[in-house]
Amino acid sequence: MTDVPSVPSSPISREGGSDDRAPVPAWKQFLLTPKGKIIVVLASALVVFALLSTQVYARPLEDGLVRALAQVIPYPALSVDGKTVTLKEFLTEYEALQQYFGDAGEQAPPQEQLEIAIADTLVNKMAIQQLAKMYGVELDEERVEQYYQDVIAQDGEEAFAQNLSQTFGWTTQEFRTRIVESIVLALQMTDVVLADTSTQQPRAELVQAAYVRVQGGEDFATIAKDVHAGFEGIESDLGYVKASVIPESWANQVTSLEEGQTTEVIELPEGYAVFKLAEKIVAGDETQLHLLSITIPKVSLEEVVEEYLTSVEVKRYVGEK
């Protein structure tokens, strides 16, 4: 008997119904491909990363998970105009202060206050670095070395290194990088800002306007009061000053005055001033001058930094005020 060839199954069942096997959706077919599997892995990693990131910023800095993740993932702690300080770097500063207070046997400030203080310091440090680039100022390595030598001169480098490690957990190189270089750059920027005529022009014009009023015969004390109202902590009556202790930058101008006379505008290292001699007396071998002044401080680095920070984007992921 001859075999009868088998007939392929029809999509229609013998009972006239549809096949129970539904077609596989296209998205499932895609996920089964090599490319689809890679996308699944990446998506899962992003979800895990997002969850971990939430935990990092939600937990305290002392938390073990925060410290562990900060060592391997460059989570941002702060950014100034796009330049970032990582959470790892922030933790280095935080742990150093914690160790300092512990070594000194003192109670550390509350965590929130400590974080804010560190954040303020790092934001200002970044601002000075960015301003230095704008002003074309490069770190003076010779000045860094001199400052470092002055610091270690009293106890010697070996004793200083031991004390530094015990107090902050830093090496001398870390101290140079984190502290000395920052201080020297700030000192350099202070010199540049004080000498910059463009930056200081408004203050120079202000004192010149006051001097014009003095020359016009207005009451000196009244002018001083008007000018000093725009600043804090400036006294117009300096009282009796020994001629021998007057700084060289303005000694010649005031010691040559007769009672009732005023100087021209004098540019001081950190400001501008006009002095008036109210009275001159001789006490023993010492000449004393009763001086009145109109004093206007120059724009400081602190003011320049503050203005700069209002003009750029500053983000604080930790240490928020």
Side-chain angles (χ1 to χ4, degrees):
M1 184 175 180
T2 306
D3 292 334
V4 180
S6 59
V7 180
S9 299
S10 169
I12 307 299
S13 66
R14 292 185 179 86
E15 289 77 14
S18 301
D19 191 345
D20 291 337
R21 293 175 299 174
V24 179
W27 65 272
K28 283 190 176 181
Q29 293 180 16
F30 173 73
L31 292 180
L32 295 175
T33 66
K35 185 177 181 180
K37 291 177 180 178
I38 292 174
I39 290 178
V40 169
V41 171
L42 291 176
S44 300
L46 288 174
V47 170
V48 172
F49 179 76
L51 291 173
L52 289 175
S53 298
T54 301
Q55 290 298 308
V56 163
Y57 293 113
R59 296 178 180 224
L61 290 179
E62 291 91 345
D63 187 87
L65 178 64
V66 174
R67 293 172 181 266
L69 291 174
Q71 297 302 312
V72 294
I73 301 175
Y75 287 110
L78 310 161
S79 72
V80 177
D81 197 26
K83 181 175 175 57
T84 301
V85 170
T86 65
L87 190 57
K88 179 181 179 180
E89 294 171 309
F90 191 94
L91 277 168
T92 299
E93 303 285 345
Y94 182 85
E95 290 168 353
L97 285 180
Q98 289 282 40
Q99 183 167 330
Y100 165 77
F101 285 111
D103 181 68
E106 299 179 12
Q107 180 66 39
Q111 178 186 329
E112 183 178 350
Q113 292 182 18
L114 199 58
E115 289 180 18
I116 291 174
I118 295 171
D120 287 345
T121 300
L122 292 176
V123 165
N124 287 335
K125 183 186 293 187
M126 285 192 290
I128 291 173
Q129 291 170 348
Q130 292 169 12
L131 284 166
K133 290 182 179 180
M134 293 170 58
Y135 278 81
V137 176
E138 295 185 1
L139 182 67
D140 186 338
E141 296 293 348
E142 291 185 3
R143 196 168 175 180
V144 169
E145 177 63 23
Q146 184 59 56
Y147 193 99
Y148 175 72
Q149 292 300 326
D150 290 344
V151 170
I152 67 174
Q154 182 173 352
D155 300 322
E157 187 168 25
E158 184 177 347
F160 176 75
Q162 182 177 355
N163 184 54
L164 186 65
S165 177
Q166 179 180 342
T167 305
F168 293 101
W170 288 349
T171 63
T172 54
Q173 184 56 49
E174 287 176 315
F175 174 76
R176 286 174 66 108
T177 302
R178 296 180 182 278
I179 304 299
V180 178
E181 289 184 3
S182 297
I183 291 175
V184 170
L185 186 60
L187 291 173
Q188 289 181 249
M189 281 301 298
T190 294
D191 294 341
V192 169
V193 167
L194 292 177
D196 185 62
T197 54
S198 177
T199 301
Q200 303 302 336
Q201 184 176 355
R203 301 286 173 89
E205 291 176 350
L206 183 59
V207 74
Q208 189 61 42
Y211 180 67
V212 169
R213 292 175 62 185
V214 171
Q215 292 295 95
E218 290 189 50
D219 179 62
F220 191 92
T222 300
I223 300 171
K225 182 178 180 181
D226 292 343
V227 172
H228 295 165
F231 304 93
E232 292 184 3
I234 299 179
E235 297 290 338
S236 59
D237 191 337
L238 304 182
Y240 286 88
V241 181
K242 292 181 180 179
S244 60
V245 301
I246 296 176
E248 291 184 6
S249 56
W250 49 281
N252 289 338
Q253 291 93 323
V254 298
T255 55
S256 62
L257 293 175
E258 298 295 333
E259 291 185 1
Q261 290 184 330
T262 62
T263 67
E264 297 181 347
V265 174
I266 301 173
E267 182 174 356
L268 305 173
E270 297 184 357
Y272 305 93
V274 177
F275 295 97
K276 179 177 181 178
L277 178 62
E279 185 181 16
K280 179 186 293 186
I281 62 174
V282 177
D285 296 331
E286 192 71 60
T287 299
Q288 296 191 29
L289 310 177
H290 182 192
L291 296 174
L292 306 179
S293 75
I294 298 171
T295 306
I296 297 178
K298 288 184 177 180
V299 177
S300 66
L301 175 61
E302 182 180 359
E303 292 174 285
V304 172
V305 167
E306 185 177 344
E307 182 179 356
Y308 173 72
L309 290 175
T310 62
S311 69
V312 297
E313 185 177 38
V314 179
K315 295 182 179 179
R316 293 179 180 229
Y317 303 94
V318 295
E320 294 182 274
K321 295 183 179 180

